[in-house]
Amino acid sequence: MITPTADVNSVRALLKEMPNPVALVPTMGALHEGHLELLRAARKKVGAHGTVAISIFVNPIQFDRPSDLTNYPKTLTEDLALCEAEGVDVAFTPQKEALYQPDHSVLVRESLLTRHLCGATRPGHFDGVLTIVLKLFNILQPDFAIFGKKDFQQLALIHRMARDLDVPVEVIGHPTVRDADGLALSSRNARLSSEQRADAPRIRRALLAARNLSTSGEQRPAAYLDSARTHLLAEAPSDFSIDYLQLVDAETLQPVATVTKPTVLATACFYNDTRLIDNIEICP
Ligand code: PAF
């Protein structure tokens, strides 16, 4: 089985020995087919002779709800077996003590693209994400880093951080991987009961139904939001709720007054305290 490296200096030394280019797939583990697709995209990017690295670390400082951190699935042995099968070369699996000093006091904070969506409903979440991603970039020094588009705001923020802080890593977004019924793959899906799992494709259906309005030239944001909300809540189970539903400009991530250029309809929903996100691009 692939030998994981938990120590910062050891993984640095190991990567110095590995052939370039290096593609990194940062994860929090509990790997599923969506992550495996990212690993395959990483291999494609670096070729048979390049290096594919994964980081597996449940980053405590990006969790805004303690229960979410406690309940986050942890499956390291299975994850490493999957990495082995995908031909991953390096697995960085640090413990929190290896990455955060007890008195750590520096965070990466973005101030514009974080105003809405998850940035508004999960205080501090993206400070934690950007901080760990920059740390991983500094430690592993990849040429490429690959992230899923399900986390559309996260991807936009990492692009912005790389641009604004001159980070020499090419950030690449990969299309969302879905189950056959449309539910976006997520490590949190494992926390759904069988009833919740059966119901959860309502999220994708609602986004698709709203996007259909664009075929008739609809430009009013309220029309898209009303349609999506109606579909999200139609005969929804009592443990289902909407955290947010927003229509934002695909580049600036600010709410739009009219749908006349590419926008993203994005939502976060809860089944009890399990939070799922998804989004769809609307190109008028
Ligand atoms: O998307 C994730 O799994 C995490 O937010 C990331 C990018 C690995 C940072 O912890």
Side-chain angles (χ1 to χ4, degrees):
M1 188 184 285
I2 184 170
T3 311
T5 312
D7 177 66
V8 169
N9 290 327
S10 310
V11 81
R12 268 204 182 114
L14 179 61
L15 274 160
K16 277 212 175 87
E17 303 297 309
M18 302 296 291
N20 289 331
V22 175
L24 171 66
V25 178
T27 79
M28 299 205 297
L31 301 186
H32 50 67
E33 189 59 28
H35 295 113
L36 303 187
E37 282 285 311
L38 300 184
L39 292 171
R40 289 169 201 144
R43 173 59 68 200
K44 210 165 168 188
K45 193 76 198 166
V46 299
H49 302 297
T51 298
V52 173
I54 188 171
S55 59
I56 300 178
F57 176 60
V58 182
N59 175 34
I61 71 163
Q62 72 183 73
F63 285 80
D64 51 310
R65 290 177 296 127
S67 66
D68 194 26
L69 176 58
T70 316
N71 296 330
Y72 203 85
K74 291 163 194 82
T75 56
L76 186 59
T77 309
E78 293 87 337
D79 290 349
L80 292 172
L82 290 168
C83 289
E84 174 93 21
E86 291 299 329
V88 171
D89 302 299
V90 174
F92 181 44
T93 57
Q95 295 297 310
K96 145 173 136 230
E97 294 70 25
L99 290 182
Y100 294 115
Q101 300 292 328
D103 61 347
H104 76 96
S105 55
V106 176
L107 292 173
V108 181
R109 175 163 299 162
E110 197 279 346
S111 56
L112 189 57
L113 306 185
T114 43
R115 285 194 186 160
H116 301 282
L117 313 169
C118 297
T121 61
R122 300 188 67 188
H125 167 64
F126 286 123
D127 298 355
V129 170
L130 292 178
T131 302
I132 189 63
V133 170
L134 185 61
K135 283 167 73 66
L136 292 169
F137 285 179
N138 286 336
I139 294 167
L140 304 170
Q141 303 197 0
D143 300 285
F144 310 106
I146 307 190
F147 299 86
K149 289 189 179 174
K150 175 174 70 68
D151 297 279
F152 138 82
Q153 190 175 21
Q154 166 173 286
L155 177 62
L157 286 163
I158 294 168
H159 271 296
R160 180 62 60 98
M161 175 179 75
R163 186 196 79 175
D164 285 0
L165 300 184
D166 304 298
V167 184
V169 176
E170 188 184 322
V171 176
I172 298 170
H174 192 79
T176 303
V177 181
R178 300 181 181 279
D179 267 334
D181 59 9
L183 180 64
L185 296 191
S186 162
S187 302
R188 289 188 176 85
N189 293 355
R191 283 166 45 190
L192 298 172
S193 69
S194 54
E195 292 79 11
Q196 291 169 337
R197 173 62 193 81
D199 186 74
R202 74 167 53 246
I203 300 172
R204 172 72 169 163
R205 283 199 304 272
L207 297 179
L208 284 169
R211 188 181 64 181
N212 267 344
L213 296 175
S214 69
T215 56
S216 56
E218 181 60 73
Q219 293 189 354
R220 294 166 303 145
Y224 290 92
L225 293 167
D226 288 348
S227 163
R229 186 175 305 277
T230 303
H231 282 87
L232 279 174
L233 295 178
E235 292 170 41
S238 58
D239 57 2
F240 179 83
S241 60
I242 301 174
D243 184 26
Y244 69 74
L245 174 67
Q246 284 191 304
L247 190 62
V248 295
D249 181 282
E251 269 180 31
T252 65
L253 275 58
Q254 307 305 310
V256 289
T258 55
V259 183
T260 46
K261 54 190 208 129
T263 57
V264 176
L265 179 61
T267 189
C269 300
F270 281 107
Y271 284 93
N272 284 331
D273 68 345
T274 304
R275 188 172 178 280
L276 305 180
I277 59 172
D278 204 350
N279 67 80
I280 200 163
E281 191 160 351
I282 296 174
C283 295

